[in-house]
């Protein structure tokens, strides 16, 4: 079969590799749609060290079961599925506490050295399979994983009916967070980003006000339209120093800041601002029960991910798309490959 094999920084050619065989308890999924994730782009450049060559990336995917390993009884060949990519142990203290997203023994399909779905087929442990309803297109199935992350962030943020929210960053996760906050009953949603194109998308997805901080003063706008003291809730979806600092500055005393962004490992932050203004800062990572609910959100039509999928391309186009994203030659929001 064909696969995009990550062979080292900036190297991910299309290769002919042996077809995967199902082990006991596994199935083989023929990949129909797989999303290109920012974490794959950072893995491709070698900057995060979270992709260990040689391996196949791709963790946001849907497909159809083509083979069953021994002991698989709940699924059949021909089933449409979407795969929850996190492999967790189920027995560590974190898993037992319901926090499988931070399992102490976690790994994942398409992460570290485990092969994922930038390929015609992938081996999947049966416990990771979810049914993909017939009315949900393959490409939308590929958006379930990032939507789960946004829904987890919204679930960990104190948003009640009509709470105003500021979201910093309108990449895939920031944009999906708009949709998740809407589901949760948020009031005014203000979104900040440096890209006019992304801000237009944020508007389309339901942001009430979009701000390009290179052209307007975000703090003034928040104080003018939410309240003089600042915003009760700020969500950071970039993961770099300037937006991390901004998230603290924009929160009102007693306010809540959620950090989803995960790019720069160390950031200098105004501790005193947090202390003297009683700000709560909450990190969020991955998802737990949100995965199944994200499928329902898409199936029911309460969340429409269609606009975010800006490019659908064959598997062979993947290396160029990832390279262009890594070099900043394109800022396509979500590209989906269809092996
Ligand atoms: Zn991802
Ligand atoms: Zn665990």
């Amino acid at each position: 079969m064909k696969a995009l094999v990550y062979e080292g920084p900036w190297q991910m050619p299309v290769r002919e590799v042996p077809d995967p065989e199902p082990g006991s308890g596994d199935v083989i999924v023929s990949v129909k749609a797989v999303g290109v994730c920012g974490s794959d782009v950072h893995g491709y450049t070698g900057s995060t060290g979270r992709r260990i060559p040689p391996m196949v990336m791709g963790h946001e995917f849907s497909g159809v079961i083509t083979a069953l390993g021994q002991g698989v009884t709940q699924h059949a060949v021909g089933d449409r599925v979407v795969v929850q990519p996190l492999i967790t142990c189920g027995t560590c203290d974190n898993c037992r506490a319901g926090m499988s997203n931070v399992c102490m023994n976690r790994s994942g399909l398409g992460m570290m050295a485990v092969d994922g779905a930038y390929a015609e087929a992938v081996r999947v442990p049966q416990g990771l399979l979810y049914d993909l309803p017939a009315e949900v297109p393959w490409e939308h199935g590929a958006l379930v994983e990032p939507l789960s992350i946004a829904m987890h962030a919204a679930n960990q943020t104190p948003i009640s009916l009509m709470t105003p929210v500021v979201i910093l960053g309108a990449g895939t996760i920031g944009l999906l967070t708009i949709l998740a906050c809407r589901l949760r009953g948020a009031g005014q949603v203000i979104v900040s980003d440096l890209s006019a194109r992304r801000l237009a998308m944020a508007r389309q997805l339901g942001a009430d006000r979009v701000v390009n901080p290179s052209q307007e003063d975000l703090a003034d706008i928040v104080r003018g339209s939410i309240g003089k003291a600042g915003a009760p809730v700020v969500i950071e979806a970039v993961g770099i120093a300037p937006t991390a600092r901004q998230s603290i500055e924009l929160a009102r005393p007693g306010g809540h800041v959620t950090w989803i962004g995960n790019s720069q490992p160390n950031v200098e932050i105004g501790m005193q601002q947090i202390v003297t203004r009683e700000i709560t800062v909450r990190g969020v990572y991955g998802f737990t029960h949100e995965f199944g609910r994200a499928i329902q959100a898409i199936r029911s039509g309460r969340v429409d991910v269609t606009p975010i999928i800006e490019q659908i391309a064959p598997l062979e186009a993947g290396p160029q798309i990832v390279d262009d994203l890594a070099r900043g030659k394109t800022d396509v929001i979500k590209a989906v490959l269809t092996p």
Side-chain angles (χ1 to χ4, degrees):
M1 68 164 185
K2 286 198 185 78
L4 309 185
V5 181
Y6 174 60
E7 296 180 340
W10 304 92
Q11 291 172 50
M12 193 173 65
V14 183
R15 294 276 187 225
E16 192 64 37
V17 301
D19 289 346
E21 299 283 339
S24 175
D26 296 332
V27 306
I28 300 301
V29 172
S30 168
V31 181
K32 294 292 188 184
V34 53
V36 174
C37 176
S39 67
D40 294 331
V41 176
H42 296 136
Y44 171 74
T45 65
S47 68
T48 57
R50 293 189 52 78
R51 302 290 185 272
I52 299 165
M55 59 85 68
V56 177
M57 302 190 206
H59 57 271
E60 306 174 353
F61 66 104
S62 61
V64 59
I65 294 177
T66 55
L68 304 178
Q70 269 192 344
V72 177
T73 54
Q74 306 290 313
H75 303 277
V77 169
D79 282 0
R80 288 166 56 94
V81 292
V82 55
V83 175
Q84 187 288 100
L86 298 180
I87 301 168
T88 58
C89 74
T91 56
C92 74
D93 285 354
N94 295 346
C95 281
R96 283 171 181 245
M99 296 176 69
S100 57
N101 55 325
V102 290
C103 168
M104 294 156 90
N105 307 303
R106 70 181 181 273
S107 62
L109 299 178
M111 300 166 208
M112 306 308 278
V114 183
D115 283 346
Y118 287 177
E120 289 178 309
V122 57
R123 180 172 48 161
V124 177
Q126 59 180 338
L128 306 184
L129 299 168
Y130 284 71
D131 290 327
L132 183 67
E135 61 269 38
V136 179
W138 301 116
E139 293 80 14
H140 291 195
L143 267 290
V144 170
E145 196 264 359
L147 177 61
S148 306
I149 292 171
M151 287 173 64
H152 181 65
N155 276 338
Q156 302 301 335
T157 304
I159 298 168
S160 50
L161 295 177
M162 298 307 288
T163 301
V165 176
V166 177
I167 298 172
L168 304 179
T172 298
I173 297 296
L175 291 167
L176 291 170
T177 300
I178 300 171
L179 300 174
C181 289
R182 282 272 173 255
L183 275 180
R184 206 157 151 74
Q188 184 178 193
V189 175
I190 298 179
V191 177
S192 160
D193 197 281
L194 292 170
S195 155
R197 222 171 57 73
R198 287 172 180 230
L199 291 175
M201 176 79 73
R203 280 291 281 175
Q204 191 182 345
L205 294 176
D208 299 284
R209 176 78 159 89
V210 296
V211 181
N212 186 330
S214 71
Q215 293 162 9
E216 294 183 280
D217 189 323
L218 177 60
D220 274 357
I221 288 162
V222 168
R223 282 192 289 264
S225 54
I226 291 181
K228 284 200 178 64
V233 167
V234 181
I235 300 178
E236 202 278 356
V238 186
I240 57 172
T243 42
R245 286 191 204 107
Q246 217 170 26
S247 68
I248 306 293
E249 288 158 12
L250 294 172
R252 77 172 187 212
H256 181 107
V257 173
T258 295
W259 283 350
I260 327 175
N262 181 12
S263 307
Q264 214 176 310
N266 295 295
V267 160
E268 194 176 301
I269 211 78
M271 182 178 179
Q272 200 170 53
Q273 276 194 322
I274 296 172
V275 171
T276 61
R277 298 166 65 238
E278 294 203 334
I279 307 291
T280 300
V281 180
R282 163 82 202 221
V284 294
Y285 182 77
F287 47 83
T288 55
H289 65 283
E290 286 89 359
F291 197 86
R293 293 183 181 178
I295 297 171
Q296 292 312 315
I298 291 174
R299 189 191 65 85
S300 65
R302 294 217 204 167
V303 162
D304 182 9
V305 295
T306 311
I308 294 176
I309 303 170
E310 290 194 309
Q311 185 176 7
I312 296 175
L315 181 68
E316 292 77 4
Q320 191 66 53
I321 292 170
V322 171
D323 196 79
D324 285 351
L325 284 164
R327 294 178 198 279
K329 287 187 189 166
T330 171
D331 72 337
V332 60
I333 291 168
K334 180 57 78 180
V336 172
L337 307 176
T338 54

